[in-house]
Amino acid sequence: MEPTLTIRSSSGEYPIWVGANIRKQAGMLLKDILSGKSKVLIVTDRKVGSAYLTEVSEAFAPFLPVETAVLPAGEETKSFTQYENLLTKALEKGLDRQSIIVALGGGVIGDIAGFMAATYMRGIPFIQMPTTLLAHDSSVGGKTGINHPLGKNMVGAFHQPKAVLYDTNTLLTLPDEEWRSGFAEMIKHAYISNQEFVELLKKKVQSISDLKSDQIKDLLTRSIQVKADIVQDDEKESGVRGYLNFGHTLGHAIEKNIGYGGLTHGEAVVIGILFSMKVSNALQLSAWDVESEEKWLKELGYPVNKHKDLSHKELIETMKKDKKSSKGQIRMVLLPETGKPMIAAVEEKVIQNVLADK
Ligand SMILES: NC(=O)c1ccc[n+]([C@@H]2O[C@H](COP(=O)([O-])OP(=O)(O)OC[C@H]3O[C@@H](n4cnc5c(N)ncnc54)[C@H](O)[C@@H]3O)[C@@H](O)[C@H]2O)c1
Ligand SMILES: [Zn+2]
């Protein structure tokens, strides 16, 4: 089966397969990559593992000896403790420099297993098998890492996968809130790339359940292509990769101030996307009909006004500390029009006024 997409990276090209039930053909599809390797360690979390680990292990077993590591589910797993546990497991099971890691799960597993692969014996290859909608974003681009008690994703490495194998059928066990969260990244990719993609999403997806159909493969492929085009141009994030933060400056601040868990990542990002449009309007860069954009997003169940209950002062303080901001000046991605993102410093006064809907 031909790959759905091929991505260029500094460590060579890698294939992406997107398709229903392809987890069961993992060994076959990855045959060339597995050839000459010593062992595979499949890393997953308890939820994903209980549904898919047996099948995926069986898919690799004819090709290589298979070891497995099952971590707790959730963001807390991106910790030093779990990272060390993984390394211990790998050493105990005799993984060597010819071994290969498979990350079977959402963005959490992709990030920690990828980081483990990046650092185990100074780096061994890994494969992404994303199982959440959000992970169509996180599994491509080579960013891996864990959290530090003082900040999310503060420890990490760029390490490109050897392949991405995306079984769209695994998504069917995802709860709706995870579909909604992941779909926000697709919406983001559409707005920063082209109007036709935005129109397509609006037409095809009028409720979250519309995603749970055959059309998901095409939508995912398009969305991954947008991310791929950007990271191919700017693998180490010195320029255009920053556009992927569209909606994330306020989004991250909301997540932090509401307490992680109060909203999903994607819900916060959607609020951030609308905010960025409002700021672009306020700076007279654009003429977004924000109410009309908001209408579709509301119908999809995004709580577009949730930030209004939060302290604007605290949101602004958090935005000033964002990785993209510097010297206390807020820098964010603005969107003069679909497909034309830009990064700019925005005066605090403007942010204040837009937050207050003035
Ligand atoms: N590396 C990157 O470029 C990048 C980009 C964006 C986000 N991220 C990271 O991704 C993480 C979030 O990823 P996520 O939203 O996928 O979270 P996640 O991996 O925690 O998955 C969300 C929940 O869904 C469960 N789950 C996963 N697949 C399932 C399935 N098929 N069926 C049923 N349940 C399933 C998980 O067990 C978990 O409870 C964050 O840590 C974020 O920092 C990384
Ligand atoms: Zn995001």
Side-chain angles (χ1 to χ4, degrees):
M1 188 165 114
E2 283 298 303
T4 316
L5 296 167
T6 302
I7 312 291
R8 265 183 293 113
S9 83
S10 57
S11 49
E13 289 189 341
Y14 63 90
I16 300 186
W17 285 276
V18 184
N21 284 318
I22 58 174
R23 66 185 181 283
K24 297 176 187 162
Q25 302 160 45
M28 260 321 275
L29 290 171
L30 300 165
K31 197 161 71 277
D32 292 346
I33 295 167
L34 302 179
S35 135
K37 296 285 182 300
S38 59
K39 246 182 201 160
V40 48
L41 173 67
I42 305 174
V43 181
T44 190
D45 72 29
R46 283 201 192 107
K47 280 193 211 163
V48 178
S50 68
Y52 306 110
L53 184 55
T54 308
E55 287 170 352
V56 173
S57 301
E58 282 169 2
F60 281 100
F63 299 86
L64 281 180
V66 177
E67 304 290 353
T68 58
V70 184
L71 305 177
E75 184 68 28
E76 300 73 39
T77 289
K78 278 173 57 176
S79 67
F80 282 99
T81 309
Q82 293 300 343
Y83 170 62
E84 185 179 344
N85 287 346
L86 260 188
L87 295 172
T88 306
K89 181 108 189 188
L91 288 164
E92 283 173 356
K93 297 289 178 188
L95 267 76
D96 59 18
R97 302 191 58 195
Q98 270 62 55
S99 300
I100 186 158
I101 304 295
V102 172
L104 173 67
V108 163
I109 290 298
D111 277 9
I112 185 170
F115 182 56
M116 182 265 189
T119 50
Y120 186 72
M121 297 188 173
R122 297 198 184 82
I124 62 172
F126 87 115
I127 287 159
Q128 292 270 20
M129 290 186 65
T131 65
T132 63
L133 186 55
L134 184 133
H136 86 275
D137 177 359
S138 57
S139 60
V140 174
K143 280 193 187 179
T144 71
I146 58 173
N147 301 328
H148 186 280
L150 295 182
K152 211 172 125 58
N153 296 327
M154 285 299 151
V155 181
F158 284 100
H159 192 50
Q160 303 293 336
K162 289 288 172 220
V164 180
L165 206 141
Y166 207 156
D167 182 344
T168 51
N169 257 41
T170 61
L171 297 174
L172 297 176
T173 49
L174 269 187
D176 271 11
E177 64 167 34
E178 297 296 341
W179 279 95
R180 191 174 291 109
S181 182
F183 188 52
E185 306 290 359
M186 198 178 278
I187 295 169
K188 173 192 82 177
H189 286 152
Y191 277 121
I192 63 174
S193 63
N194 74 68
Q195 187 60 25
E196 184 244 321
F197 190 14
V198 173
E199 296 303 331
L200 181 79
L201 292 183
K202 285 184 180 170
K203 190 166 126 224
K204 301 267 183 180
V205 189
Q206 272 147 24
S207 84
I208 289 299
S209 54
D210 293 338
L211 291 166
K212 302 174 197 173
S213 70
D214 290 348
Q215 63 168 342
I216 192 65
K217 176 179 169 175
D218 291 336
L219 299 180
L220 274 173
T221 304
R222 270 200 85 149
S223 193
I224 294 171
Q225 186 70 61
V226 173
K227 170 124 191 199
D229 287 344
I230 291 177
V231 299
Q232 283 174 159
D233 281 355
D234 180 18
E235 194 168 309
K236 296 271 164 83
E237 192 158 13
S238 50
V240 292
R241 192 163 180 163
Y243 298 157
L244 295 169
N245 287 304
F246 179 51
H248 281 63
T249 307
L250 181 65
H252 282 150
I254 292 172
E255 283 184 282
K256 242 190 191 146
N257 286 266
I258 217 167
Y260 288 104
L263 274 184
T264 63
H265 175 69
E267 287 172 335
V269 167
V270 161
I271 299 173
I273 287 175
L274 292 165
F275 176 72
S276 175
M277 289 174 176
K278 290 180 204 163
V279 174
S280 304
N281 280 356
L283 295 171
Q284 296 181 323
L285 295 167
S286 58
W288 288 103
D289 179 352
V290 181
E291 257 174 55
S292 123
E293 305 299 325
E294 211 171 78
K295 187 169 170 284
W296 174 57
L297 295 165
K298 253 191 203 157
E299 282 163 6
L300 292 172
Y302 291 100
V304 296
N305 290 316
K306 193 79 179 235
H307 60 299
K308 294 199 171 151
D309 315 335
L310 299 172
S311 149
H312 296 177
K313 196 162 164 265
E314 280 169 28
L315 287 174
I316 290 172
E317 286 314 309
T318 313
M319 282 192 268
K320 281 187 189 167
K321 289 187 205 129
D322 188 271
K323 268 193 279 190
K324 304 291 172 296
S325 301
S326 70
K327 299 182 194 125
Q329 231 192 3
I330 296 170
R331 283 173 66 80
M332 59 182 282
V333 183
L334 300 174
L335 198 66
E337 58 179 295
T338 305
K340 301 250 159 34
M342 59 179 268
I343 300 176
V346 181
E347 274 177 53
E348 190 169 331
K349 189 78 200 147
V350 175
I351 303 264
Q352 257 169 18
N353 287 343
V354 176
L355 276 174
D357 263 335
K358 273 190 206 146

